[in-house]
């Protein structure tokens, strides 16, 4: 750790010098010209649209480059803009969004034709007032956007619940996220990759109220500049950030009732103070949510004497748990303009999360003839506490340059620390064949520290050619200690159980660099990039024989081609190699017990999975899209439930590498305007997953075609009233050793805006027919498990939000730090 601290200090110094050089260079270059894009926004009547939102998108991949607001006369200016091919999107509340035609920037100012916005509806009060909102789902060239803000999706819900109702997204019984039927998704929150996977990421998202979320972007084919992590794509969660001048903010509160009358309370406040050069912002949210879980398990065990399969017996289990979770989520930040071309900023955010859970388990073990062999009842009391804090310092500097365009430098320094503690008491009472008790006391503590620095540089070489390059260095240190105690030999006091207790220390260093070239010409965009990553890993469990050292270097090439035939038709093709490293929790060999014979554990022998990905997409009128994709993954990481090495019908839930996964998918997105009072967005994914490998003495060679359908209808009724109806369905599918039965759900909501649209009242019901349950079968040669899992998915929620302060808008700035990958993987 002393070495890491010394390196961190040196990099902080380098970062400061680097920033100073950039600032001085900017001052010296300020006399040179910059490219700009100008234009105006007006209504159909010719009246200017004041404070409309203008976003500049790269035509190659729809990435947002800049944003600005029109002035009180409808005029706007986007500058500086590097040479390339772009689109401009104009939007304003109460109007239909409008895209410009594609255009080229070649160093000189580009003046666009006037963008005319059509009103989406009107209500007569004392004077004409235009009322409208963004559609719940939008489709861009390379991503689907879920507009959470302003929709009934957000009413009293958590971010995880909103994700589960998004097109192509599924959450399985182990809380693993999948996008279009593929796991290995990278989750970003405001550009920061989260340090968790599976149930830990799910707990974090459960504690993050959806009322803080502005939008969710589902990116199945990430642009080349994104890091190589995330073979299935990216889920980017963008939090709200007030864009109004002066002092203002938003307050919100909600109350929900679950299936058993479980209460769910959420309250939050966000505030913002913006002046010409500085923007100070912050938010706080408190959540108090009661939940339940029910799990029915049926297990069959087999043996092979004389190579003949023989039934050994079965186990029947009923599990039920209730939990109370309280969370505090906060964020504070400052952006400051040092000059026209230089912006510095910093953010600090954190979360404190506490869950108390009481669980019961009733189990019966039967022999081969169906007779009782053992009966027991377990009570499982757990307390889980986590405290997370992260900080980011960032710099963006734009160099004024010649007609080729503007050069840009960005730099980030990140620090994050995570503390987790889980206390557990498992008490088992055996009724048969004789009365006896078994007691297990667990105390697990973990600390994770992430440090990183990165820099990215963009240099236009000519009007058509742009070069991007950058590098990143990160360090991770994870220190975990788990202590299990059992009654002593004399039955008095508790002593350490060496079989279950462990210490695990993990250190990781990744050094990465990339170069990317983008070439544009009329109707064509070509892009190619290469990323290299050197990984150095050390794992030290309590048992030295289980330790490991891994050092490897890998290349990640990417290429993309986009052809724009007309304003209505465009086709894109992309190829890439990506990687998914195991999370720190997946590598940690610690155990977490569910009952006397069921526990979860990490696997220190996990290897990263790598994949080659191909995608071809055709877009019509910039909203209808049809795409085909294919990927082949080596050493895919999957969740398994299989017999434990302990014997005695014990079962362990862990992660394993298989041999290979092949995936092919056909995706259709079709937004429809059936009537003025009814708009619908439909998303269909037809896919096929095929797995090969060998685990627990079982050869796997299985695949199945499946599909996922998501449909949302919105009914604007006028006078501030809107009704939303969402339905989703997941067909039966095969994922590794699991065969999952179909599931789906229907949600409905109604909302009313009031007080000049400053206040919003919402009422929604999720999973109305209580069909969002998980039924699955896991099959091995010597073991078959069938389980039926239910949760508190049917919830009725009433919520209220109110915006206060100055209504004049101004552009906002959103940062992506340098420690995103490590934060996503932390456990």
């Amino acid at each position: 750790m002393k070495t890491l601290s010394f390196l961190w200090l040196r990099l902080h110094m380098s970062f400061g010098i680097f920033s100073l050089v950039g600032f001085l260079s900017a001052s010296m270059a300020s006399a040179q010209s910059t490219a700009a894009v100008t234009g105006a926004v007006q209504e159909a009547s010719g009246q200017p649209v004041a404070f409309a939102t203008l976003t500049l998108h790269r035509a190659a991949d729809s990435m947002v480059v800049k944003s600005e607001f029109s002035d009180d006369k409808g005029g706007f200016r986007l500058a500086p803009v590097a040479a390339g091919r772009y689109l401009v999107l104009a939007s304003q509340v109460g109007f239909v969004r409008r895209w410009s035609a594609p255009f080229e920037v070649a160093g000189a100012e580009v003046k666009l034709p006037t963008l005319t916005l059509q009103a989406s509806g009107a209500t007569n009060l004392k004077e004409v007032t235009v009322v409208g909102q963004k559609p719940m789902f939008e489709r861009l060239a390379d991503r689907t956007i879920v507009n959470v803000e302003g929709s009934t999706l957000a009413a009293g819900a958590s971010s995880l619940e909103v994700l589960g109702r998004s097109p192509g997204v599924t959450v399985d019984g182990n809380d693993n996220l999948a996008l279009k039927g593929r796991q290995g998704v990278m989750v970003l929150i405001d550009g920061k990759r989260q340090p968790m996977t599976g149930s830990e990421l799910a707990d974090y998202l459960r504690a993050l109220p959806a009322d803080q979320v502005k939008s969710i972007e589902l990116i199945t084919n990430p642009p080349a500049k994104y890091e190589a992590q995330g073979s299935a794509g990216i889920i980017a969660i963008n939090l709200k950030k007030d864009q109004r001048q002066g002092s203002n903010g938003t307050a919100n509160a909600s109350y929900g009732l679950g299936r058993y009358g479980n209460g769910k309370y959420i309250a939050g406040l966000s505030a913002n103070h913006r002046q010409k050069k500085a923007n100070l912002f912050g938010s706080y949210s408190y959540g108090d949510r009661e939940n339940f879980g029910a799990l029915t398990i049926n297990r069959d065990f087999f043996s092979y004497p004389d190579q003949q399969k023989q039934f050994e017996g079965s186990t029947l289990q009923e599990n039920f748990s209730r939990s109370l979770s309280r969370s505090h989520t906060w964020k504070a930040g400052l952006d400051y303009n040092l000059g026209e071309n230089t912006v510095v900023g910093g953010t600090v955010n954190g979360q404190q999360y506490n869950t108390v859970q009481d669980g019961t388990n009733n189990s019966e073990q039967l022999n081969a003839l169906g007779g009782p062999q053992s009966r027991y009842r377990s009570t499982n009391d757990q307390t889980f506490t986590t405290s997370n804090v992260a900080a980011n310092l960032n710099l963006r500097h734009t160099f004024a340059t010649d007609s080729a365009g503007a050069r840009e430098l960005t730099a980030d320094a990140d620090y994050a620390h995570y503390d987790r503690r889980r206390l557990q008491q498992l008490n088992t009472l055996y009724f048969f064949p004789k009365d006896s008790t078994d007691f297990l006391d667990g105390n697990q503590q973990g600390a994770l520290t992430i440090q990183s620095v990165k820099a990215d540089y963009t240099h236009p070489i000519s009007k058509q050619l742009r070069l991007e390059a950058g590098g990143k260095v990160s360090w991770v240190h994870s220190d975990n200690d788990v202590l299990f105690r059992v009654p002593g030999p004399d039955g008095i006091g508790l002593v350490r159980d060496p079989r279950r207790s462990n210490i695990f220390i993990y250190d990781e260093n990744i050094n990465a660099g990339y170069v990317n070239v983008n070439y544009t010409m009329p109707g064509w965009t070509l892009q190619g990039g290469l990323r290299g990553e050197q990984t150095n890993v050390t794992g030290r469990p309590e048992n030295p024989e289980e330790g490991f050292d891994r050092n490897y270097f890998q290349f990640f090439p990417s290429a993309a081609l986009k052809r724009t035939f007309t304003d209505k038709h465009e086709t894109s093709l992309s190829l890439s190699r990506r990687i998914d490293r195991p999370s720190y929790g997946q590598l940690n060999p610690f155990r977490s017990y569910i009952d006397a014979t069921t526990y979860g554990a990490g696997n220190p022998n996990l290897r990263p999975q790598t994949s080659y990905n191909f995608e071809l997409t055709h877009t019509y009128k910039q909203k209808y899209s049809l795409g085909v994709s294919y990927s082949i993954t080596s050493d895919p990481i999957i969740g398994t439930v299989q017999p434990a090495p302990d014997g005695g019908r014990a079962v362990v839930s862990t992660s394993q590498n298989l041999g290979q996964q092949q995936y092919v998918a056909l995706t259709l997105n079709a937004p429809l305007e059936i009537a003025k009072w009814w708009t619908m967005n439909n998303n269909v994914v037809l896919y096929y997953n095929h797995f090969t490998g060998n685990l627990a003495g079982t050869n796997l060679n299985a695949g199945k075609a499946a599909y996922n359908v998501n449909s949302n209808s919105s009914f604007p009724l006028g006078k501030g009233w809107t009704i939303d109806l969402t339905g989703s369905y997941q067909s039966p599918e095969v994922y590794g050793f699991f065969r999952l039965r179909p599931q789906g759900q229907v949600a409905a909501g109604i909302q009313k805006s009031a007080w000049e649209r400053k206040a919003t009242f919402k009422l929604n019901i999720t999973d109305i027919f209580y069909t969002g349950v998980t039924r699955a079968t896991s099959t091995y040669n010597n073991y078959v498990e069938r389980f039926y899992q239910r949760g508190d998915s049917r919830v009725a929620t009433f919520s209220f939000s109110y915006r206060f302060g100055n209504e004049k808008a101004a552009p906002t700035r959103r940062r992506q730090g340098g420690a995103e990958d490590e934060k996503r993987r932390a456990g």
Side-chain angles (χ1 to χ4, degrees), residues 643-660:
D646 307 56
R649 296 195 183 180
V651 171
V652 58
S653 173
T654 187
S655 297
Q656 299 277 6
N657 289 107
L658 285 179
Q660 189 181 82

Side-chain angles (χ1 to χ4, degrees), residues 680-726:
M680 177 185 289
N681 189 86
N682 304 289
N683 183 272
V684 181
V685 183
L686 175 64
Y687 60 93
Y688 178 81
N689 264 317
H690 188 271
F691 293 87
T692 58
N694 186 294
L695 286 179
T698 304
N699 286 318
L700 178 67
N701 188 354
K704 182 179 177 64
Y707 61 92
N708 178 283
V709 180
N710 186 287
S711 180
N712 169 261
S713 292
S714 182
F715 306 91
L717 305 179
K719 297 185 178 180
W721 288 93
T722 303
I723 293 178
D724 290 305
L725 182 66
T726 301

Side-chain angles (χ1 to χ4, degrees), residues 307-356:
Q307 304 300 316
Q308 297 295 319
K309 186 174 184 178
Q310 179 176 307
F311 178 60
E312 292 292 332
S314 60
T315 300
L316 307 177
Q317 293 186 336
E318 288 288 348
N319 298 274
F320 185 84
S321 65
R322 300 189 75 155
S323 63
L324 177 62
S325 301
R326 293 186 173 95
S327 64
H328 303 267
T329 305
W330 56 273
K331 180 177 183 179
L334 172 68
D335 293 332
Y336 188 81
N337 295 301
L338 295 177
E340 182 179 352
N341 298 326
T342 305
V343 181
V344 296
T347 61
V348 181
N349 62 83
Q351 183 188 78
Q352 287 74 45
Y353 185 56
N354 180 268
T355 299
V356 178

Side-chain angles (χ1 to χ4, degrees), residues 58 60-64 139-144 179-180 182-188 193 217-236 468 516 518 527-531 556-561 572-580 611-617 629-631 663 816 824:
R58 284 205 315 232
D61 51 22
S62 298
M63 177 179 286
V64 175
R139 175 66 191 178
L140 299 183
D142 67 335
R143 68 195 66 190
T144 298
L179 185 58
K180 294 185 178 181
R182 292 183 65 198
Q183 294 184 14
V185 178
M186 179 173 62
V187 176
L188 310 180
R193 294 182 191 171
E217 298 181 25
L218 310 175
I219 313 171
T220 55
N221 186 30
K225 193 174 182 179
Y226 281 91
E227 295 186 29
Q229 185 78 24
S231 59
I234 294 172
I235 296 177
E468 298 171 326
N516 191 76
N518 190 293
Q527 181 175 290
L530 182 65
R531 185 180 186 88
F556 300 97
S558 63
L561 180 147
S572 59
L573 171 67
S574 65
L575 301 166
S576 66
R577 181 177 187 263
R578 301 185 70 80
I579 188 172
D580 283 289
S611 63
Y612 288 93
N613 305 281
F614 161 91
E615 186 168 6
L616 177 66
T617 302
S629 55
Y630 172 79
S631 72
Y663 167 90
Q816 173 177 317
R824 186 196 72 88

Side-chain angles (χ1 to χ4, degrees), residues 574-617:
S574 65
L575 301 166
S576 66
R577 181 177 187 263
R578 301 185 70 80
I579 188 172
D580 283 289
R581 296 181 179 88
S583 72
Y584 312 120
Q586 287 176 319
L587 292 167
N588 193 329
F590 288 1
R591 297 184 179 187
S592 176
Y593 279 83
I594 300 171
D595 59 64
T597 59
T598 307
Y599 65 91
N603 178 7
N605 296 316
L606 276 180
R607 302 180 302 277
Q609 68 175 30
T610 56
S611 63
Y612 288 93
N613 305 281
F614 161 91
E615 186 168 6
L616 177 66
T617 302

Side-chain angles (χ1 to χ4, degrees), residues 433-445:
K434 64 178 182 178
D435 291 344
S436 62
T437 60
D438 189 14
F439 181 78
L440 182 65
D441 178 87
N443 185 345
Q444 302 185 43
Q445 301 182 54

